[in-house]
Amino acid sequence: MLRLSDIMTRDVVTVAPELSLRDTMSLFTTQHISGAPVVSQGTVVGVVSLTDLAEFAAGSPGVPTQRSEFAECGEWDEPEDLPEGTEPPSAYFAEMWDDAGADVAERMESSGGPEWNMLEEHTVGEVMSRRVCSLSADTAVEYAADYMRTAAIHRVLIMDGAHLQGIVSTSDIAAAVADRKISHRVYVFEPAARRPGRRS
């Protein structure tokens, strides 16, 4: 029977709760991972994933871009060709702040401008999941796969008490299946010991 100890990653990339979201995203990119345990003073306190980072970014309102062409409040030039005494159309104001609601993809790609500082000002501890899903190293891979499906998670920590031994992701299990490491015995005939009427 294939066990988690056979497929787990032992050299686990971990992050601290104090790490900025920008540095976390950079780490995930360079290490080619989509999540990591959060460790504080040698203790696992949570897990953070790209999903957590994306949800945080999606839930944070965009901040208007600083534009040098606009002066302080109240010093904007009135739009031309308006009858005297007429208020400017709402489109005029909308155009000034047309990027206030930038989507998540744009936020992740762009690193310029003060509005992206939120990724530096917020930390892993603010967005991480405090629910730590763990199994022991001798757990069967089939059981772990079912556990991960039921819990709707993409990785499970391999723990020995409070000690982090490794991590197993859905891609690790998929690789084990593709490499035919998971197999089942199929009996064409029932084993002799189980046949009815057989005497021991």
Side-chain angles (χ1 to χ4, degrees):
M1 180 191 326
L2 192 68
R3 302 187 182 278
L4 294 182
S5 57
D6 300 318
I7 67 170
M8 71 183 187
T9 299
R10 297 175 187 275
D11 186 16
V12 183
V13 175
T14 64
V15 296
E18 301 81 19
L19 191 67
S20 74
L21 299 187
R22 181 182 295 283
D23 289 340
T24 303
M25 291 172 60
S26 177
L27 177 67
F28 284 5
T29 301
T30 57
Q31 295 293 320
H32 305 288
I33 58 176
S34 60
V38 183
V39 177
S40 176
Q41 299 179 351
T43 302
V44 176
V45 295
V47 177
V48 66
S49 68
L50 285 176
T51 301
D52 297 321
L53 300 176
E55 287 178 352
F56 173 80
S60 301
V63 180
T65 304
Q66 285 184 349
R67 301 189 181 198
S68 57
E69 65 266 26
F70 293 127
E72 293 296 321
C73 182
E75 297 181 10
W76 295 306
D77 294 329
E78 289 291 324
E80 299 177 5
D81 304 328
L82 282 178
E84 189 173 330
T86 303
E87 293 291 325
S90 60
Y92 171 67
F93 294 102
E95 287 170 5
M96 286 193 302
W97 307 111
D98 61 355
D99 59 344
D103 63 23
V104 174
E106 184 181 344
R107 294 182 196 183
M108 298 301 183
E109 290 175 3
S110 176
S111 60
E115 66 272 29
W116 311 135
N117 286 344
M118 69 170 190
L119 295 178
E120 296 174 358
E121 295 170 353
H122 294 277
T123 65
V124 167
E126 298 175 62
V127 304
M128 70 181 188
S129 170
R130 298 182 186 277
R131 182 178 69 136
V132 177
C133 296
S134 65
L135 294 171
S136 63
D138 63 351
T139 302
V141 171
E142 292 95 331
Y143 176 87
D146 187 57
Y147 173 76
M148 293 167 73
R149 177 179 60 180
T150 303
I153 55 176
H154 296 287
R155 64 197 56 79
V156 63
L157 304 187
I158 312 304
M159 307 278 289
D160 180 11
H163 175 63
L164 177 64
Q165 292 183 305
I167 190 169
V168 169
S169 68
T170 50
S171 62
D172 294 323
I173 295 176
V177 172
D179 293 341
R180 300 179 187 271
K181 292 181 178 179
I182 301 176
S183 61
H184 296 277
R185 287 184 181 174
V186 177
Y187 292 103
V188 177
F189 299 101
E190 193 172 354
R194 296 183 184 175
R195 290 180 194 160
R198 178 173 175 84
R199 296 178 184 176
S200 311

